């Protein structure tokens, strides 16, 4: 295939494109006796290759059953037609599952907290199916469960979700409960011994959206690490992964570690937060793993994560809809360009544009994307004036993507094609660092978000996007194989 012409100066021959070393040997999946491995199934078969994504616009069903210091297997998903991508072969129906915090209220499950001082890591997504806050639920359950809720801990955007992306989160006293709120996105991202001094157990109840560069999973990682180092136990209330069980993208190279990717997982990991916690404990925190209790969801089908028709709760200000959650893992890469990814518009991550993109360039971008024959997506010209972030207040030409089939849509593959179309069709499009992003020694945002410098190098060389996709397929499959012992569903 003939490579497209690139603007002058785009080729960076100094960046190595050698294959990434294979992942290290798989650790013994039998963790320390202090780690409760719920439904441990080392011989579990490989997951189906076809991705089944979000069924419709609704909240993410999240349920778990926390045993009293022992492992409890999640019941098999209820059989039925379902409303999501189960397509009648085991999809859930509303009411077939319970949220983790709802299961936690069962008397035998509350025993894991009895006699403990409890710290809760949460944000607005921590609710039950009626949208009652996990904070309020635990406050009211203290007498019944014989525990004391002592402190709250806020990730990026804060406990109440009001802070902007990347915004400094302060410590403060919660006006509703009177509890201290300790920031995990301010002076420190990892709880200090002082921050954990008055608690015995940390409970984590936050909805993830399946992308490596979404920071909540690294709050989970650091909190687990700190808990292990300070002799605290850890409870995860499991919630669905809206992208389903399949991994996509390069596995993070350790030298590119940051808070948008601390450890070696792909761009989409295909795990629920509970499964990810088990993986972290077994693969990365062996010497500092806390006593871990994962709350497996009941009646959950990973191929049909939005089968329940629950209200959508924004996990962060720029993920306003379930459709946005589907695309973010791919179009989030646009943050690495001098192009708006839609922040400050009503369609963040579903629209991209810039003042220097005109109608001719829009037509060329759409033609290139249509020519790629990507599944489950359509494109249309759209003009917008962002009210915040890149190109604030400037009239921008761009493209809106419309998801037509969430079961078929591939977010990372589509995101790579979008980045390539912008770079190859618009002369002014460049990495957001500009000339500072031209050598192997530089670390640019595309390197952090894609997890490797190979993505940048291949795009600079004018590679076909499918060559980039092919380059990460094998390591994504290898990662999925290593996670089988830690999967619950």
């Amino acid at each position: 295939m003939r490579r497209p012409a690139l603007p002058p100066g785009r080729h960076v021959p100094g960046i190595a494109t050698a294959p990434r070393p294979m992942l290290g040997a798989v650790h013994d999946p039998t963790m320390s006796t202090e780690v409760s491995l719920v439904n441990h199934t080392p011989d579990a078969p490989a997951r189906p290759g076809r991705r089944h994504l979000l069924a419709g616009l609704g909240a993410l069903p999240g349920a778990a059953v926390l045993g009293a210091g022992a492992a409890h297997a999640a019941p098999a998903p209820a059989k039925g037609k379902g409303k999501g991508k189960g397509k009648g072969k085991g999809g859930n129906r509303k009411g077939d599952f319970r949220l983790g915090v709802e299961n936690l209220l069962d008397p035998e499950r509350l025993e894991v907290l009895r006699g403990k001082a409890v710290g809760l890591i949460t944000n607005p997504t921590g609710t039950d199916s009626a949208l009652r806050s996990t904070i309020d639920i635990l406050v009211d359950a203290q007498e019944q469960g014989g525990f004391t809720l002592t402190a709250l801990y806020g990730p990026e955007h804060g406990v109440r979700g009001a802070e902007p992306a990347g915004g400094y989160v302060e410590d403060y006293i919660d006006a509703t409960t009177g509890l201290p709120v300790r920031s995990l996105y301010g002076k420190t991202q990892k709880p200090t011994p002082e921050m954990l001094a008055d608690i015995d157990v940390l409970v984590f109840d936050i909805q993830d959206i399946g992308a490596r560069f979404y920071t909540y999973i690294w709050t989970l990682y650091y909190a687990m690490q700190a808990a292990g180092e300070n002799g605290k136990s850890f409870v995860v209330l499991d919630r669905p992964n809206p992208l389903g069980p399949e991994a996509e993208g390069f596995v993070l190279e350790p030298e590119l570690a940051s808070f948008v990717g601390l450890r070696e997982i792909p761009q989409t990991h295909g795990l629920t937060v509970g499964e990810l916690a088990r993986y972290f404990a077994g693969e990365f925190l062996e010497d500092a793993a806390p006593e871990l209790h994962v709350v497996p969801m009941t009646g959950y089908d990973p191929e049909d994560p939005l089968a329940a028709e629950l209200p959508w709760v924004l996990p962060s200000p720029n993920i306003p809809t379930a459709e946005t959650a589907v695309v973010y893992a791919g179009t989030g890469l646009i943050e690495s360009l001098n192009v708006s990814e839609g922040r400050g518009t009503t369609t963040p991550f579903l629209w991209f544009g810039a003042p220097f993109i005109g109608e001719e360039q829009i037509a060329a971008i759409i033609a290139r994307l249509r020519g790629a024959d990507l599944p489950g997506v359509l494109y249309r010209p759209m003009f917008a004036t962002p009210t915040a972030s890149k190109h604030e207040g400037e009239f921008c030409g761009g493209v809106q993507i419309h998801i037509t089939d969430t079961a078929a849509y591939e977010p990372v593959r589509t995101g790579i094609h979008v980045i390539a179309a912008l770079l190859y069709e618009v002369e002014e499009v460049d990495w957001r660092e500009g000339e500072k992003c031209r050598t192997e020694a530089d670390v640019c945002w595309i390197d952090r978000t894609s997890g490797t410098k190979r993505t940048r190098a291949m795009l600079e060389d004018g590679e076909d996007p499918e060559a980039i996709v092919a380059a990460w397929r094998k390591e994504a499959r290898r990662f999925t194989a290593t996670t089988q012992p830690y999967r619950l569903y």
Side-chain angles (χ1 to χ4, degrees):
M1 177 176 179
R2 183 176 180 273
R3 292 180 180 176
L6 287 176
R10 285 284 168 79
H11 178 62
V12 184
I15 298 181
T17 58
R20 182 182 183 275
M22 291 184 66
L23 293 175
V26 178
H27 291 274
D28 182 355
T30 306
M31 298 184 191
S32 163
T33 55
E34 293 185 334
V35 180
S36 175
L37 282 185
V38 186
N39 195 24
H40 182 217
T41 54
D43 297 320
R47 295 289 161 186
R50 178 174 173 78
R51 290 164 36 83
H52 291 291
L53 299 176
L54 304 178
L57 299 182
L60 301 166
V65 180
L66 207 168
H72 287 258
K79 302 296 180 181
K81 292 185 177 180
K83 289 203 166 198
K85 296 302 173 231
K87 303 293 186 185
K89 56 176 185 177
N92 299 322
R93 294 168 304 194
K94 187 174 181 179
D96 286 339
F97 63 85
R98 297 175 67 197
L99 293 164
V101 68
E102 294 166 340
N103 283 327
L104 182 62
L105 295 181
D106 292 343
E108 68 275 16
R109 318 246 195 264
L110 273 177
E111 288 301 310
V112 76
L113 300 182
R114 187 167 296 280
K116 305 287 183 64
V118 177
L120 175 63
I121 305 170
T122 195
N123 70 358
T125 64
T127 73
D128 67 7
S129 59
L131 297 183
R132 189 178 177 218
S133 169
T134 300
I135 299 171
D136 297 338
I137 291 169
L138 290 187
V139 166
D140 291 347
Q142 291 177 104
E143 183 176 353
Q144 175 193 0
F147 66 89
T148 303
L149 185 61
T150 304
L152 305 176
Y153 298 82
E156 184 178 8
H157 308 295
V159 165
R160 301 299 180 182
E163 299 298 327
Y168 189 93
V169 178
E170 300 278 359
D171 291 353
Y172 65 97
I173 299 298
D174 182 60
T176 303
T177 63
L179 294 171
V181 178
R182 295 161 184 166
S183 172
L184 299 180
Y185 202 80
K187 294 179 181 178
T188 181
Q189 294 162 341
K190 178 181 176 180
T192 64
E194 293 74 22
M195 294 168 72
L196 301 178
D198 59 350
I199 65 115
D200 303 307
V201 56
L202 278 172
V203 177
F204 183 93
D205 191 18
I206 294 178
Q207 178 61 57
D208 180 40
I209 60 172
R212 184 184 58 228
F213 44 72
Y214 208 56
T215 62
Y216 298 151
I217 61 173
W218 305 118
T219 294
L220 170 67
Y221 179 86
Y222 270 150
M224 287 180 61
Q225 186 179 56
E229 291 169 349
N230 290 277
K232 314 297 181 179
S233 58
F234 205 92
V235 175
V236 179
L237 308 185
D238 206 10
R239 290 180 176 271
N241 181 337
L243 299 183
E246 190 167 314
E248 288 188 281
F250 288 109
V251 170
L252 177 78
E253 295 170 0
E255 61 271 22
L256 293 172
S258 71
F259 203 57
V260 291
L262 281 174
R263 298 306 306 251
E264 301 89 315
I265 66 174
Q267 195 166 321
T268 66
H269 48 75
L271 301 171
T272 67
V273 288
E275 292 169 333
L276 200 57
R278 285 155 51 91
Y279 186 76
F280 287 162
E283 299 294 318
F284 302 136
L285 295 174
E286 307 97 310
D287 297 330
E291 177 188 338
L292 175 64
H293 302 272
V294 172
V295 183
M297 293 171 282
T298 52
Y300 173 64
D301 179 359
E303 299 285 352
D304 197 4
L306 263 197
E309 298 172 355
L310 301 175
W312 176 257
V313 178
L314 283 71
S316 58
N318 283 289
I319 309 293
T321 67
E323 187 179 34
T324 316
V326 172
V327 303
Y328 173 78
T331 55
L333 294 173
I334 300 169
E335 292 180 347
S336 66
L337 298 175
N338 60 346
V339 172
S340 170
E341 65 277 2
R343 295 181 189 272
T345 75
T346 58
T347 51
F349 302 107
L350 289 163
W351 173 84
F352 53 88
F356 46 77
I357 298 178
E359 293 186 15
E360 183 177 344
Q361 289 90 350
I362 292 171
I365 291 167
I366 290 176
R368 182 179 284 272
L369 292 173
R370 286 175 178 165
D373 197 26
L374 298 166
V377 61
L378 294 174
Y379 321 90
R380 76 175 186 93
M382 177 178 164
F383 295 83
T385 303
T387 60
S389 194
K390 284 183 282 185
H391 305 304
E392 177 181 353
E394 298 182 85
F395 183 73
C396 300
V399 175
Q400 182 179 4
I401 64 175
H402 294 260
I403 308 303
T404 60
D405 184 351
T406 53
Y409 184 73
E410 299 173 272
V412 180
R413 182 184 174 204
T414 303
I416 289 294
H417 276 272
V418 167
I419 293 286
L422 284 163
L423 285 169
Y424 298 169
E425 298 295 346
V426 184
E427 177 76 22
E428 294 85 355
V429 171
D430 199 356
W431 309 118
R432 72 184 196 182
E433 297 89 351
E435 289 304 316
K436 296 179 181 179
C437 206
R438 286 286 180 269
T439 71
E440 184 180 3
D442 294 323
V443 174
C444 305
W445 197 244
I446 185 63
D447 307 331
R448 299 284 189 198
T449 53
S450 69
T452 178
K453 292 187 177 183
R454 284 179 288 164
T455 302
R456 173 161 58 105
M458 294 176 80
L459 288 167
E460 292 275 6
D461 284 344
E463 293 272 5
D464 187 284
E466 285 302 303
I468 300 174
V469 173
W472 53 250
R473 290 278 192 206
K474 183 179 291 186
E475 57 186 80
R477 287 196 298 266
R478 188 163 59 245
F479 173 83
T480 298
T482 69
T483 64
Q484 292 309 313
Y486 306 103
R487 291 180 182 261
L488 302 174
Y489 314 103

